[in-house]
Amino acid sequence: ASNPFTFPRSAGEEKDWAAAKAHFENLKSTKPRPPKPKNAVTIAVSSRTLFDMVAERKIFEEEGLEKYVQHQQEHENEPLEQGPAFPFVKAVMAVNERLRNLYPDSEELFDIVLMTNNHAQVGVRLMNSINHYDLTIERFCMTGGQSPIGYLKAYMTNLYLSKDAKKVQEAIEEGIAAAIMFKPDVESQLSETQLRVAFDGDAVLFSDESEIIVKQHGLDTFFEHEKQHENKPLAQGPLKCFLEALGKLQKKFYAKNERLNCPVRTFLVTARSAASSGVRVLKTLRSWGLEIDEALFLAGAPKGPLLQKIRPHIFFDDQMFHIEGAKEMGTISAHVPYGIGQKYNKGKLIEPEKQQK
């Protein structure tokens, strides 16, 4: 039956209407609506972590804001190169695709928010680049030169990734998991079907309470302390909540008998020794109700070679010494500037005047 509330259309109008409707349906199928923040695992990424903007940053620093904006507008139809967070974001979207297949109506998904202090005029190039790479990023926060940190809680952010150390520090102080991204020195082939996330333990998943003992009293005192307190859970560190969020999504796959084919895999990569200080770590995770897929205790050995085998999309550590070793061997790394480790370099206390630089 005809609809009395529709107006007659010509053959040409019908064709245009059909084309527009088909385009809209295609958009709906290729770009699903983002989940509500209260249900999602929200990851805020800066434009300089998602894309390689080194050349653009140089223009900004050497020639000023107006020239920077002009350059971005003149090149807005040229997609930006991929940045350090790009493979991580792509892997996250592959997980979402699996989740949507298993739970078509669920909003318990990853949600990526582009969080940047860029001006809105630069937004066209960012949006064009996102569309070029077919990324599902619908939420933008462009603050026109102001720090975006105040918006992180409003977006209910579970993780914030940036190249700006000061902003990351501010986010951690606000209780938000955050890290400074670093591009590896050499590229590695990463999984396109499984998101692989590696965490250090102390001052990352856990507080720095045990690390303080190591730094101030030495390893023997530390081993003795951990043995005495192995049944006392460690306090949580800045990235514990993100591991918790990953675990929540993993359990959705386990519920569908997909444990062996789960597209999210987590790794603990710690300098701790297994027998002398590893028990407390595993008991702490158990007390939190959290699982880690692989726990690797290196007893002080370099992390780079092992991470080269794991090939994570992101590796979190609180010490730049480990970050540098990891990225030299091809691992995308993220520095968590938290705890007593920030006062040390390669085990030696940094002099106060050097810390301020």
Side-chain angles (χ1 to χ4, degrees):
S2 63
N3 187 335
F5 297 102
T6 59
F7 294 94
R9 302 187 185 97
S10 68
E13 286 173 330
E14 285 291 352
K15 187 177 178 181
D16 291 343
W17 172 256
K21 187 178 179 183
H23 177 67
F24 177 70
E25 291 298 329
N26 183 54
L27 277 178
K28 284 203 299 183
S29 64
T30 57
K31 298 279 188 182
R33 288 186 64 179
K36 292 183 177 67
K38 67 178 181 180
N39 300 321
V41 176
T42 300
I43 300 169
V45 295
S46 75
S47 54
R48 289 198 295 140
T49 59
L50 185 60
F51 299 116
D52 185 340
M53 299 178 70
V54 173
E56 288 77 9
R57 182 72 179 179
K58 188 177 181 185
I59 292 170
F60 172 75
E61 290 175 348
E62 294 179 359
E63 301 181 45
L65 176 61
E66 299 306 318
K67 289 287 187 183
Y68 167 78
V69 172
Q70 181 185 337
H71 171 85
Q72 294 284 34
Q73 289 177 322
E74 288 173 352
H75 295 81
E76 62 186 24
N77 292 319
E78 299 171 20
L80 292 156
E81 295 296 318
Q82 299 175 14
F86 190 94
F88 174 70
V89 168
K90 286 289 282 186
V92 157
M93 290 178 179
V95 176
N96 272 0
E97 189 176 342
R98 288 278 305 277
L99 282 167
R100 284 194 172 99
N101 288 336
L102 291 173
Y103 300 92
D105 300 321
S106 175
E107 287 201 332
E108 290 184 343
L109 301 160
F110 287 108
D111 188 22
I112 305 294
V113 177
L114 189 70
M115 187 77 61
T116 173
N117 63 353
N118 262 300
H119 287 252
Q121 296 96 316
V122 179
V124 173
R125 190 177 190 194
L126 293 173
M127 291 175 187
N128 285 344
S129 298
I130 283 168
N131 289 330
H132 171 78
Y133 293 112
D134 196 28
L135 301 177
T136 307
I137 301 177
E138 300 295 346
R139 301 193 206 278
F140 274 52
C141 182
M142 292 178 283
T143 63
Q146 300 301 308
S147 173
I149 296 301
Y151 294 97
L152 290 174
K153 284 191 174 178
Y155 277 89
M156 302 179 76
T157 303
N158 296 90
L159 176 67
Y160 173 55
L161 300 174
S162 175
K163 289 184 75 70
D164 190 313
K166 184 180 177 183
K167 288 178 191 156
V168 166
Q169 189 70 60
E170 287 175 23
I172 289 174
E173 288 169 4
E174 289 291 319
I176 296 165
I180 307 155
M181 292 289 292
F182 290 89
K183 200 166 187 175
D185 297 346
V186 292
E187 284 192 20
S188 297
Q189 191 69 34
L190 303 177
S191 173
E192 295 182 358
T193 57
Q194 185 179 64
L195 171 65
R196 300 167 76 85
V197 183
F199 299 89
D200 179 30
D202 296 293
V204 176
L205 290 179
F206 316 115
S207 74
D208 66 339
E209 59 192 86
S210 294
E211 204 160 293
I212 290 171
I213 294 170
V214 175
K215 297 289 192 282
Q216 295 182 348
H217 304 288
L219 277 174
D220 290 341
T221 303
F222 164 70
F223 291 144
E224 184 181 337
H225 176 271
E226 293 303 285
K227 188 69 176 173
Q228 290 174 354
H229 294 83
E230 71 174 41
N231 292 314
K232 180 185 177 184
L234 289 152
Q236 72 177 52
L239 268 291
K240 182 254 188 178
C241 290
F242 183 58
L243 175 62
E244 199 167 31
L246 292 177
K248 179 176 140 188
L249 294 184
Q250 282 181 308
K251 285 175 182 175
K252 292 180 73 68
F253 290 99
Y254 302 165
K256 295 285 188 178
N257 201 28
E258 292 276 332
R259 182 181 283 268
L260 296 179
N261 193 31
C262 182
V264 180
R265 193 161 185 85
T266 56
F267 302 80
L268 173 67
V269 183
T270 173
R272 282 179 178 245
S273 305
S276 51
S277 58
V279 173
R280 191 181 185 195
V281 162
L282 297 180
K283 286 187 174 182
T284 296
L285 290 170
R286 185 193 300 166
S287 75
W288 291 346
L290 296 183
E291 295 182 33
I292 201 99
D293 292 305
E294 298 187 31
L296 306 162
F297 296 90
L298 302 189
K303 296 183 180 182
L306 205 76
L307 288 163
Q308 192 179 38
K309 300 297 181 187
I310 294 171
R311 295 189 179 182
H313 293 90
I314 192 165
F315 162 60
F316 297 99
D317 202 293
D318 66 303
Q319 299 193 49
M320 279 305 300
F321 172 68
H322 292 306
I323 295 291
E324 287 161 4
K327 71 188 194 74
E328 279 174 10
M329 300 191 75
T331 297
I332 300 169
S333 303
H335 179 228
V336 182
Y338 172 83
I340 194 171
Q342 309 317 301
K343 298 179 180 179
Y344 288 77
N345 182 34
K346 298 183 182 179
K348 295 182 180 179
L349 185 65
I350 303 169
E351 295 173 19
E353 60 268 22
K354 289 183 181 178
Q355 289 180 33
Q356 294 169 9
K357 291 182 181 178

